[in-house]
Amino acid sequence: MPRLRTSIRRTLTAALVATATLATPATAAPAQGQAVTPTSRINWSSCSDTEFEGMQCGTLRVPVDYAHPRAGSLTLALVRRPADDRDHRQGTLLLNDGAGGSSIEQLRLAMRIGFPSFAGAMSRNFDLVAVDPRGVGHSTPIRCTTPLKPDGVTHFPHSQAAFDTLVAHNRAFATDCLRENGPLIAHTDLTSTARDFEAVRTGLGEKQLNWYGIHYSTLLGRTYAGLYPGRLRTMVLDTALDDTTSPAERIRREAATAEEAFNRFAAWCAATADCALHGKDAAAEYDALVARADRTPILTTAGRLTGEDIRTATQDYLTLSTVTWPALAQAVVKAQAGDATDFTYEPDDTLDPVQVQVPACLDNARPVTTFDQLTRLRKDLARISPHLGGAVRSWTALTGCLGWPVPAHPIAAGAPVHGAPPALIVQSTHQALAPHSAGLAMAAQLPGSVVLSREGDDYSMFLLSPCVRDATNRYLTTRTLPAQGTTCTD
């Protein structure tokens, strides 16, 4: 097993740091002006991509707006890997990545590291179906021509003028997105996306589905379960998010947990020769780089990189300790020498930042509308998070939606979801994207659920932990959950 885990780490490192070559299962542009009849028929064909050999690529047309189903449609892209043991097949397991992330590309990464060879019952007993959500990846994608955050715009304004510039840019960005994508921009919310998965279930001909969701897709799974009671047989939720608190409190908690992850990264550097900053004070080196870039932005092919940009890019470098931590240290060393390229793109290149931001403006309430309100919250985050300064995803979602002209449609969260199966919620004890307490908050909404803790800093834990893998496969095949309070330490 150590040799397998080393192979996984090396392959993940190469796959996450390099730019992926995307496959193109058949997709279609939005038919915004065309009256269509919604259909539940999935059009399947053999995948032409060699990495998906033996799999089926499919498309499914769904309404852009379920309240007006004949007003226009979009196309969902799917890839299906049939169960290895057809005689003992137990159904379909949907694979769901986070907001703005391509599940199809996540499946590609899994296949590159030999996923079927160690997945056990997950790939043996279940058809695996990766679906790119509406607006994402190989499904009808959101594409905007205005930069998400151009030079001269800050998400941490220190003056009324800078705040006004941010709001004006957000409005211009949204206007461009609406012009380029039409009504899709107003219908990438959790509820619309969950309705798509019911169309997928119908198209697959399954009475019930099994759900595997990571990060944002833990909220999507809960939403689907609430809209369609009894349609899920099992739910595995990896790195659950907590949207039961106020948006401001959610940002504070995420900032605190990302700051803790950074401190753990710095401690790892001090103790590990594999860290490119070993022998130095990693936190001090990072802080000095950020301060220098704030004084004199670093020129890159993507534009002028400020300290704020470096801090904003850091959270996603903290999510996989054996993969992205070494990459973060190397990125700091390269930036100190004048090459800050590694801070200009996501370490997880299955994510599209625009496709992350647009749904965030629909799914999150907007409690901040003035410069004074934002300043008070910014000062809180500077105290909570002295290294990262609160530059986390939920802060970007909040500030990137200031002035957004399309109203938000947040889910009312917190009440028990009736008709959902007891879920297996896998939560790291130290994760940069979500605190451990978020798993408990999700479990409270899904009666009978269990939080399986994993000691460590990672997400996507099925790939990394045999303990998590065994518990997941036991649950998927028998619906038996581990005892409350169980912790994996591998």
Side-chain angles (χ1 to χ4, degrees):
M1 186 60 69
R3 183 177 299 172
L4 173 62
R5 294 186 69 189
T6 299
S7 174
I8 290 173
R9 291 167 186 164
R10 288 174 178 168
T11 308
L12 276 173
T13 301
L16 289 174
V17 175
T19 300
T21 301
L22 302 184
T24 53
T27 59
Q32 304 291 5
Q34 178 184 355
V36 298
T37 301
T39 176
S40 294
R41 180 173 176 267
I42 300 175
N43 294 313
W44 293 107
S45 62
S46 297
C47 294
S48 59
D49 193 308
T50 55
E51 290 184 292
F52 293 143
E53 185 178 357
M55 303 185 199
Q56 296 172 301
C57 288
T59 58
L60 174 66
R61 196 170 60 173
V62 296
V64 172
D65 180 358
Y66 279 90
H68 303 92
R70 296 181 182 275
S73 68
L74 59 89
T75 299
L76 301 179
L78 309 84
V79 174
R80 176 166 63 184
R81 182 188 185 278
D84 291 326
D85 187 348
R86 305 302 295 170
D87 292 337
H88 298 93
R89 178 184 177 275
Q90 291 183 266
T92 292
L93 177 66
L94 291 181
L95 305 177
N96 299 275
D97 195 18
S102 169
S103 299
I104 290 173
E105 291 307 311
Q106 287 288 322
L107 178 60
R108 179 192 306 284
L109 294 182
M111 296 306 296
R112 286 179 182 173
I113 63 175
F115 175 72
S117 68
F118 64 85
M122 180 181 283
S123 59
R124 184 177 62 247
N125 292 44
F126 295 89
D127 292 350
L128 303 179
V129 175
V131 184
D132 278 358
R134 57 173 52 210
V136 171
H138 303 296
S139 294
T140 298
I142 291 172
R143 294 283 186 257
C144 307
T145 59
T146 298
L148 188 59
K149 181 182 171 292
D151 290 350
V153 172
T154 174
H155 284 160
F156 290 84
H158 284 257
S159 69
Q160 183 69 52
F163 178 85
D164 293 342
T165 297
L166 171 62
V167 171
H169 167 70
N170 290 345
R171 286 177 178 152
F173 174 76
T175 298
D176 171 65
C177 290
L178 286 164
R179 182 174 57 249
E180 294 293 323
N181 302 274
L184 178 59
I185 293 298
H187 297 285
T188 55
D189 55 291
L190 280 167
T191 298
S192 297
T193 305
R195 293 192 188 284
D196 289 345
F197 281 89
E198 177 63 3
V200 169
R201 182 195 66 80
T202 302
L204 292 170
E206 297 280 10
K207 182 178 179 181
Q208 290 184 310
L209 294 170
N210 300 276
W211 188 277
Y212 190 101
I214 299 176
H215 197 243
Y216 159 88
S217 289
T218 64
L219 304 180
L220 181 59
R222 180 209 58 197
T223 303
Y224 177 83
L227 287 172
Y228 301 102
R231 300 291 170 81
L232 290 180
R233 174 181 170 272
T234 60
M235 293 178 72
V236 180
L237 306 178
D238 182 322
T239 312
L241 298 181
D242 179 11
D243 59 351
T244 64
T245 62
S246 70
E249 180 59 23
R250 182 174 176 178
I251 295 171
R252 292 187 188 97
R253 293 183 183 183
E254 185 180 349
T257 198
E259 185 74 11
E260 180 193 7
F262 179 84
N263 290 334
R264 288 172 63 82
F265 156 77
W268 169 81
C269 275
T272 308
D274 290 341
C275 176
L277 293 167
H278 183 64
K280 301 178 180 179
D281 184 333
E285 296 288 319
Y286 175 87
D287 290 344
L289 173 65
V290 168
R292 191 184 91 193
D294 274 332
R295 290 191 304 270
T296 306
I298 304 170
L299 292 179
T300 72
T301 55
R304 296 164 64 250
L305 195 78
T306 65
E308 174 187 330
D309 297 324
I310 292 172
R311 289 188 287 115
T312 299
T314 299
Q315 184 184 21
D316 283 342
Y317 272 109
L318 298 170
T319 56
L320 288 167
S321 59
T322 59
V323 176
T324 55
W325 285 12
L328 173 58
Q330 189 62 47
V332 171
V333 170
K334 288 172 62 177
Q336 289 172 327
D339 179 5
T341 307
D342 289 353
F343 287 110
T344 65
Y345 58 81
E346 296 280 350
D348 179 354
D349 53 21
T350 68
L351 291 174
D352 183 303
V354 170
Q355 294 167 6
V356 172
Q357 183 65 37
V358 172
C361 291
L362 301 178
D363 290 329
N364 295 288
R366 302 171 195 169
V368 170
T369 58
T370 70
F371 173 61
D372 287 343
Q373 291 171 332
L374 192 67
T375 298
R376 285 194 292 271
L377 182 55
R378 175 176 56 78
K379 289 180 177 178
D380 274 355
L381 297 183
R383 174 180 52 81
I384 293 168
S385 177
H387 296 296
L388 301 187
V392 292
R393 288 188 183 186
S394 53
W395 172 264
T396 302
L398 173 76
T399 54
C401 298
L402 289 168
W404 194 262
V406 180
H409 304 288
I411 296 291
V417 178
H418 301 292
L424 175 62
I425 301 167
V426 185
Q427 204 81 3
S428 282
T429 54
H430 308 282
Q431 227 299 306
L433 296 174
H436 184 265
S437 61
L440 301 173
M442 179 63 75
Q445 299 170 74
L446 303 170
S449 297
V450 167
V451 176
L452 174 63
S453 302
R454 195 237 176 175
E455 184 65 38
D457 305 86
D458 305 318
Y459 80 126
S460 198
M461 287 167 275
F462 185 89
L463 296 179
L464 301 172
S465 165
C467 172
V468 170
R469 200 151 50 239
D470 291 345
T472 300
N473 280 331
R474 186 179 308 111
Y475 168 66
L476 288 174
T477 53
T478 69
R479 290 186 277 191
T480 301
L481 290 163
Q484 292 281 4
T486 300
T487 298
C488 289
T489 57
D490 58 356

